[in-house]
Amino acid sequence: MEKQKKIALINDISCVGRCSLTAAIPIISACGFESVPLPTGIFSAHTEFDGFVCTDLTDKMQSFADHWKNIGIRFDAIYTGYLATKEQAETVKRFLIDFKKSDTLCIVDPVMGDNGTFYNRIDESFVGEMHFLCSMADIITPNVTEAEMIAGIDCTKPPYSADHIKDLLIKLRNLGTPKIVITGIENEDGQIGCAVYDSYTRKANMFFTPKAEGRFPGAGDVFAASLASAVMSGKEFTEAVQIAMSFTCDCVEKTALTDEPRRFGLQFEPQIYKLIKAVK
Ligand code: PXL
């Protein structure tokens, strides 16, 4: 058997709401990789639920990383998402310096907001930090709002024109990140999709599929975790994006048929077997 790959997952645990680590760990582990979480915080539920309570783990993260360094842990990939405080960006930078070897893939999802606004607990002061982390990544997966924040332009609301997305891709190219995916693009034809730029091939592409009504928190996390799984399984980048997008859209369609309120996230668990098949 091939040596199992180990992936560090820097993200929060939102106990209720199927996002961040409660999406990433099951997806990445089911695809055959070892998930090693570095929790940024523990939330009773994600921040779109009124009255959530949280424990911020800023003070613990560095000592976890130091312990891993002492016991000689090495990672094949590092995937970072939601930071509970902007100070954690400093710890993540150090983590990347310590653990990102020449063959370690780094995926940064600069989680900050959606639909033109910041998430609860996140503000302007995170943008510069996320900008820097994106510049250290091999792959970034902002949604349109996060891409606009990082590009330093005013946030807009959907639908988004193809010209606006092309302009965003051009601006994000300045980060020097080899591969860029802008997610959650609602276009003028009522579809949803993503835009991709690969600096090796210098090619940009957009993919769209029909869209279910409304939005699901955590869909971006399901997408990023599936993309990480597909890329680490050896899929070529553009194919990996298409696999992640079709898996996420399938989960959206299936969840939209249930009567669970949308804030509980995507019912991705019963669908994971399809992702396992697609990344094989
Ligand atoms: O899915 C992004 C996300 C991650 N973590 C927490 C969140 C959100 C979005 O609201 O609140 C705690």
Side-chain angles (χ1 to χ4, degrees):
M1 203 173 89
E2 217 182 290
K3 187 169 175 289
Q4 195 187 25
K5 290 182 175 146
K6 200 188 285 292
I7 309 186
L9 306 174
I10 307 177
N11 217 329
D12 70 279
I13 301 176
S14 286
C15 299
V16 166
R18 293 191 189 87
C19 67
S20 28
L21 286 174
T22 55
I25 297 174
I27 289 172
I28 288 169
S29 296
C31 289
F33 306 106
E34 182 189 351
S35 296
V36 179
L38 179 56
T40 58
I42 305 180
F43 291 69
S44 55
H46 65 61
T47 61
E48 290 187 31
F49 283 89
D50 288 339
F52 69 88
V53 289
C54 104
T55 298
D56 156 20
L57 294 173
T58 310
D59 295 343
K60 293 284 174 296
M61 289 171 70
Q62 190 58 51
S63 51
F64 280 35
D66 290 342
H67 180 227
W68 295 349
K69 218 168 138 184
N70 288 340
I71 59 174
I73 304 293
R74 295 175 74 92
F75 295 105
D76 299 287
I78 300 166
Y79 156 32
T80 89
Y82 183 94
L83 302 182
T85 62
K86 65 174 179 302
E87 287 73 25
Q88 294 181 349
E90 211 46 56
T91 314
V92 177
K93 280 177 218 167
R94 271 177 73 179
F95 190 93
L96 294 178
I97 291 165
D98 287 341
F99 289 98
K100 186 173 172 0
K101 308 296 174 202
S102 59
D103 56 351
T104 308
L105 181 84
C106 174
I107 301 177
V108 172
D109 188 5
V111 177
M112 289 189 286
D114 198 8
N115 212 21
T117 52
F118 285 108
Y119 293 133
N120 210 327
R121 290 176 62 93
I122 312 276
D123 60 30
E124 275 300 329
S125 65
F126 281 67
V127 176
E129 303 293 346
M130 286 299 192
H131 186 285
F132 188 84
L133 290 181
C134 285
S135 72
M136 295 179 81
D138 299 300
I139 299 176
I140 57 171
T141 59
N143 60 32
V144 180
T145 297
E146 291 153 352
E148 290 170 333
M149 290 171 177
I150 289 166
I153 62 173
D154 286 344
C155 289
T156 58
K157 297 255 186 195
Y160 302 108
S161 70
D163 282 347
H164 181 56
I165 300 300
K166 276 185 212 151
D167 184 46
L168 275 176
L169 278 181
I170 290 167
K171 290 195 161 75
L172 293 183
R173 266 186 352 200
N174 293 333
L175 290 164
T177 312
K179 294 179 164 76
I180 299 167
V181 195
I182 300 177
T183 66
I185 304 169
E186 292 178 39
N187 71 12
E188 288 147 332
D189 301 324
Q191 297 171 305
I192 189 150
C194 35
V196 175
Y197 178 75
D198 185 333
S199 71
Y200 296 134
T201 59
R202 296 167 151 240
K203 285 209 172 107
N205 254 311
M206 289 198 210
F207 307 105
F208 287 97
T209 75
K211 183 188 177 301
E213 262 316 301
R215 61 175 286 278
F216 288 89
D221 302 340
V222 168
F223 175 88
S226 326
L227 178 67
S229 303
V231 172
M232 291 307 286
S233 299
K235 294 292 175 193
E236 182 274 321
F237 178 59
T238 306
E239 190 191 352
V241 169
Q242 287 171 287
I243 289 172
M245 185 173 131
S246 82
F247 176 67
T248 310
C249 290
D250 192 21
C251 295
V252 167
E253 270 169 38
K254 299 290 187 301
T255 311
L257 297 173
T258 73
D259 55 10
E260 191 175 40
R262 293 190 173 206
R263 63 181 180 280
F264 288 92
L266 292 180
Q267 296 186 18
F268 64 85
E269 299 90 338
Q271 312 302 329
I272 294 185
Y273 73 97
K274 296 178 190 161
L275 180 67
I276 297 172
K277 227 162 120 186
V279 301
K280 277 251 162 69

